[in-house]
Amino acid sequence: MPHTAPAPTSRTPAARQRARRIRAVRVSLLLLIAVGLVTSLALGTVILSPSGLWEVLLGRGSASAQKLVWEWRLPRALLAIVAGVALGVSGAIFQSLTRNPLGSPDVIGFDTGAYTGALLAMLVFGATGFVAIASGALIGGLAAAALVTVLAYRRGLQGFRFIIMGIGLAALLTALNNTILIGTGTQQARAATAWGFGSFSGLGFEQLVPLAIAVAVLIPLTALLVPGFRQLELGDDAAQALGVPIERTRLLMTAVGVALTAVVTAVAGPIAFVALVAPQINARLSGRFGLDLPGAALSGAVLLLTADIIGQRLQTSVGLITVVVGGGYFLWLLIRERRK
Amino acid sequence: MPAPVTSGTTRPASAPDAPASRPAPRRVPRPRRTTGLRRASGLLLALALLAVAVLLSLGVGAQGIDPLTVLRALWENDGSDAHAIVRDSRLPRTLVGLVVGPALGVCGALIQAYTRNPLADPGILGVNAGATFAVTMGVGFLGLSAPSAYVWLSFGGALIVTGAVTLIGLRGPGRQMPERMTLTGVAVAAVLSGVGSIIVMKNLELFNRVRFWGLGSLGGRDPEALATIAPLIAIGLILALGLAGSLNVLALGDDLGSTLGARILRTRLLSVLAVTILAGAATAIAGPIAFLGLMVPHTVRWFTGPDQRWIIPGSMILAPALLLGADVLGRIILPSGELQVSLMTALVGAPVLMLLARRRRASGL
């Protein structure tokens, strides 16, 4: 497949048309985020009318409506956006890193490890608090990711060995998780399973602020690594010839990708599928099948925000909706693609 | 998205460092005869492993039975407890392993040859998701609970979903078919598992049933279902063996392959058909067993090299050996009761796979 690198310098009509399409997709995604933000401020157990919401946004309206919008719904919607950005970027990184369209942070065992950590915290050590479970998840996920990286590192990080180590550890941990779960009573097992789908319920500014700070630090870091990373897509030899420090770029990129997923998982649990599908949806919308971090970030944000709005209506974990909505939309794109 | 998994060229995009479809001659190529010897001895070793696994599977459990008694019990029934255990409980269970194991191993080999994606396992075409979804719906909404209901629900679900994934994959240009089917399978599986989970999470009893069905095991399976479905697996295995040569040619890429006379579309469709039958049937008999189909072909490939005519028979032998071995361990690992084989295969197999990937000059697809 051709690497449709963004070519601001190229002047062919085809390249200009491609660039226009990419821009159009990004603007549309931004608009969708804005619409989603407003929608999620208005919807919930209490539904605000457009005029009611407008009143609140202008600082008028009742005190309870003020509290509802500013303290509950706004942080949650922003959380969905920030988490979506982080997961989308993380997915794009791992798909490029492994050169595999199925790549996602879970390729490195992160999500499964986080779930193991949380299960151990919840069911074995009996933790119930947010901080304890989040710490368990973080430790589990990071340990799994570190283990995969160390095991796969042998005179460099090779895509194939990386993938094998990742699926091996993920399978091992999944079996471990299920072993813990079958020994657990139905009620508790269901609660633990629900955590494993990921959820935004009960989250507020307390969680949003650290997440936003972490993402705000990590994203510029990613941007710094991108030029070298893009060269890697041309193959190791070509990249080396161009003077890219291959191994350092890969390791740093892995670290950033894991960190982006980690901060989201600590806050909301392992939300599945956004990292896998956001870059894919973006590629099919914009026709740009290379590393495209902004596009993946915006797609991730739209997906997670939409899923959270639907999930609140259905009173279901957001992670289940991301899977259904993201999977369904992606499927539709795949089917439609053929008609051309 | 980075380079696609299979772009129809000879470049294995998913494994950039790996040699192309033939191992790169980094050293002086070994003489042919040595390779043949290594492959044949590997195959013999796998057969020996299988024989040991079968004996252990018949002999080991809550009550240990020595191999001689086991052999005698197979021959005749002297009415003793030991003979009853072997004949009534361990023999059926071992037979389930001997039927399901080859199906899963070969299915994994086919799907990896077909997609050339090392992440591909039989579940990638939506087999497990379809089966689980059908079971969820049948149990949740139709109130079905007989063992045979589970069997036919899961078989039907697997067939329908894989068929749909194939149809969607077929719509594009042929050379993109494997990648499109991979992505379609993942998307369909995601939607089905998501919808299924939403339903299951709202119903505590359904949650419990589905979570235990979802852990495939060899014990306590419906013998009638086994007898009905085993011939289907036999057909799938024969089909797979017949496809091995064509899959080798396909690995050279679409252009070179068709120059050499490969009927690409036919090979692909027959591969998908074999995968569907094998995975659907195995899941119907034993429930979902995820890791085996992924790990066995990788392991075999590291010993045989990329020739499908060796990988497929090798997987056919190694998979049941591992499955039965894992099942035996699952019987004795807990102080009381036993651990489902779907858990044991991953708990035992994953470290082995990782060790092999670390030590051997791991070759891609």
Side-chain angles (χ1 to χ4, degrees), chain A residues 118-163:
Chain A
L119 282 179
L120 287 175
M122 276 187 275
L123 300 177
V124 179
F125 296 107
T128 48
F130 174 85
V131 176
I133 296 172
S135 319
L138 213 51
I139 294 169
L142 292 177
L147 192 62
V148 168
T149 312
V150 168
L151 286 175
Y153 197 91
R154 202 176 178 193
R155 274 175 283 138
L157 265 187
Q158 295 178 340
F160 183 74
R161 185 173 281 130
F162 205 33
I163 285 177

Side-chain angles (χ1 to χ4, degrees), chain B residues 299-313:
Chain B
T299 312
V300 173
R301 190 176 303 109
W302 290 328
F303 289 98
T304 64
D307 187 345
Q308 296 299 332
R309 287 168 306 175
W310 285 91
I311 295 174
I312 290 175

